[in-house]
Amino acid sequence: MDLLEAAKRVRENAHAPYSGFKVGAAIRAASGRIYAGCNVENASYPEGSCAEAGAIAAMVAAGETRIAEAAVIADSPRPVSPCGGCRQRLAEFAGAEVRVIMATLDGRSRTATMAELLPHAFGQDHMEQG
Ligand code: THU
């Protein structure tokens, strides 16, 4: 299935009664398999989670740790952009060259690489002892 179509489909399951803003995310992992996630909000607002976090959790639970491509979609006026926290979450499993497709429900989209979304990313290599 098309990555964006997977994100669009899972978005319908989003639990977003507080913001009213449903988000869907899909990841194509190194194996070619697609993992999807949606935002899951909570009455205790900070306990909610983003769509990207759900897709990443599904991928890792299935035993994969490399992202080849990602897509995120929402009913927004311009292509929805992963939040700062999700950029860091994606960067844990995606190289600088990985492309992230950002889309609106009405068919607009743009693509950026992880390097563009999160320049100078903090990673495991920074924790190596000098
Ligand atoms: N949201 C995501 O799921 N992903 C993002 O990258 C941006 C924000 C969700 C979180 C919250 O449930 C709603 O959108 C409004 O912020």
Side-chain angles (χ1 to χ4, degrees):
M1 194 204 292
D2 175 63
L3 198 60
L4 203 48
E5 184 56 35
K8 193 173 179 178
R9 203 173 281 189
V10 73
R11 178 191 164 275
E12 288 165 19
N13 295 337
H15 176 71
Y18 307 106
S19 72
F21 190 67
K22 293 184 167 196
V23 184
I27 289 167
R28 190 188 319 282
S31 68
R33 275 189 66 184
I34 290 176
Y35 301 95
C38 55
N39 54 333
V40 182
E41 296 182 350
N42 192 283
S44 176
Y45 293 0
E47 301 306 327
S49 55
C50 284
E52 296 90 328
I56 290 168
M59 176 189 76
V60 174
E64 296 210 60
T65 53
R66 291 317 302 166
I67 295 175
E69 194 181 6
V72 55
I73 191 166
D75 189 13
S76 48
R78 58 197 175 85
V80 64
S81 192
C83 76
C86 285
R87 293 174 193 212
Q88 182 69 30
R89 289 188 183 96
L90 289 165
E92 180 73 14
F93 304 103
E97 73 295 344
V98 167
R99 291 156 64 87
V100 179
I101 304 161
M102 297 160 273
T104 67
L105 268 194
D106 63 11
R108 271 170 289 175
S109 71
R110 61 171 299 214
T111 299
T113 63
M114 282 304 303
E116 289 166 335
L117 289 174
L118 192 63
H120 308 289
F122 173 75
Q124 192 180 19
D125 54 316
H126 287 106
M127 292 188 283
E128 285 165 12
Q129 303 295 314

